[in-house]
């Protein structure tokens, strides 16, 4: 059975041209006919997106009937966090808040949904890790603890913006330093496989790098993958992966 996955940091719909338009983002990924979409930087009812519910709007545009979003912080009189959209009913949903090393840092979370694909239960995680390396490592360790509690007969797919190599210099200021390996990834590779995408997925005036990816259970076969060119519709490119379950 084939399962098509996309992960995309949509920056609340804002493109590099500063225009907020999630319909054009949805049209970009709709061409790949995904079964599951992991979204990061989704807004709900904020003023900057016209007080809309973006996860519902994405679900409608993609014609995928099931969706879930959890807020990690409040912003602009609304909510901001991660989402998952699914072709299959979501039977369970929760959000795990990740550790902070400073109470002034942005709270990050990991959204978990469970679906059934045929007779197989799959645990889906949409992640957006910290711009501080120490917090990313703590989050990866916390994710491993969560994964160890999952039944061995169930599968796992994690998609998101892992921010590996990114360092926050101040408000709105970041740098990216590429490395041969990232500790955050090595921790997750103890139990999971990683899609080997290498092309840049994040673009800004301050830097660019490959910081978005997908992890999956060792019992899943990766058929193909692609870094989708967003052409400035977000400051990230989506990642597409096709799995044989």
């Amino acid at each position: 059975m084939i399962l098509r996955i996309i992960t995309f940091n949509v920056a609340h719909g804002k493109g590099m041209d500063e225009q907020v338009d999630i319909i054009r983002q949805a049209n970009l990924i709709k061409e790949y006919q995904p079964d599951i979409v992991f979204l990061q930087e989704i807004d709900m009812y904020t003023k900057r997106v016209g007080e809309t519910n973006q996860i519902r709007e994405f679900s409608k545009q993609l014609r995928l009937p099931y969706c879930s979003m959890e807020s990690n912080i409040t912003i602009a009189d609304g909510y901001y966090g991660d989402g998952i959209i699914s072709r299959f009913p979501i039977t369970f949903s929760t959000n795990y808040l990740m550790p902070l090393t400073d109470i002034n840092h942005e709270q990050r979370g990991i959204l978990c949904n469970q679906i059934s694909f045929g007779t197989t239960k799959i645990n889906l995680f949409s992640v957006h890790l910290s711009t501080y390396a120490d917090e990313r490592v703590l989050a990866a360790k916390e994710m491993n603890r969560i994964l160890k509690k999952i039944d061995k007969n169930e599968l796992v797919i994690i998609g998101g913006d892992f921010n590996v190599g990114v360092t926050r210099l101040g408000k709105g200021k970041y740098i990216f330093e590429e490395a041969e390996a990232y500790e955050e990834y090595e921790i997750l590779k103890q139990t999971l496989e990683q899609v080997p995408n290498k092309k840049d997925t994040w673009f800004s005036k301050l830097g660019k790098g490959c910081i978005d990816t997908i992890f999956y259970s060792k019992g899943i076969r990766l058929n193909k993958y692609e870094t989708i060119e967003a052409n400035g519709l977000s400051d990230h490119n989506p990642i597409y992966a096709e799995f044989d379950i």
Side-chain angles (χ1 to χ4, degrees), residues 48-188:
R48 65 184 183 180
V49 300
E51 299 182 342
T52 59
N53 184 331
Q54 287 194 323
I55 194 70
R56 291 289 185 189
E57 189 62 28
F58 262 109
S59 177
K60 175 182 175 182
Q61 293 297 324
L62 294 174
R63 297 179 181 176
L64 298 177
Y66 306 100
C67 63
S68 171
M69 178 198 166
E70 287 288 346
S71 172
N72 296 319
I73 62 172
T74 57
I75 188 171
D77 292 337
Y79 306 96
Y80 172 85
D82 308 311
I84 296 174
I85 303 173
S86 171
R87 188 178 306 281
F88 312 100
I90 296 168
T91 56
F92 172 79
S93 179
T94 191
N95 193 53
Y96 300 97
L97 296 180
M98 292 296 100
L100 297 176
T101 58
D102 187 317
I103 60 172
N104 295 312
H105 291 176
E106 180 182 324
Q107 179 65 63
R108 304 283 176 149
I110 297 175
L111 173 63
C112 172
N113 286 182
Q114 186 178 88
I115 64 167
S116 292
F117 186 61
T119 59
T120 304
K121 290 183 178 179
I122 306 179
N123 297 275
L124 307 169
F125 295 84
S126 182
V127 310
H128 186 197
L129 298 190
S130 174
T131 51
Y132 298 96
D134 54 353
E135 290 183 348
R136 291 196 297 272
V137 170
L138 289 174
K141 291 178 179 178
E142 180 64 20
M143 289 169 65
N144 261 1
R145 283 193 286 269
I146 294 168
L147 296 178
K148 288 178 181 178
K149 297 178 181 179
I150 293 175
D151 190 296
K152 292 182 179 180
N153 295 315
E154 298 176 6
L155 299 178
V156 171
I157 301 176
I158 302 174
D161 173 1
F162 289 81
N163 269 322
V164 290
V166 175
T167 301
R168 183 183 175 96
L169 302 177
K171 187 175 181 180
K173 296 182 179 180
Y174 306 89
I175 59 170
F176 173 77
E177 296 177 288
E178 187 173 1
E180 288 291 326
Y182 300 100
E183 185 175 358
E184 306 93 308
Y185 284 172
E186 295 306 310
I187 291 169
L188 293 175

Side-chain angles (χ1 to χ4, degrees), residues 193-197 213-216 222 225-226 239-241 243:
E193 300 284 355
Q194 182 188 359
V195 171
N197 59 294
T213 194
I214 297 171
F215 285 87
Y216 57 98
L222 174 66
Y225 67 92
E226 179 184 343
I239 302 297
Y240 169 82
F243 297 109

Side-chain angles (χ1 to χ4, degrees), residues 10 39-44 54-55 58 69 79-81 83:
V10 296
L39 297 175
Q40 299 83 46
E41 297 196 27
I42 285 286
D43 276 21
M44 183 185 291
Q54 287 194 323
I55 194 70
F58 262 109
M69 178 198 166
Y79 306 96
Y80 172 85

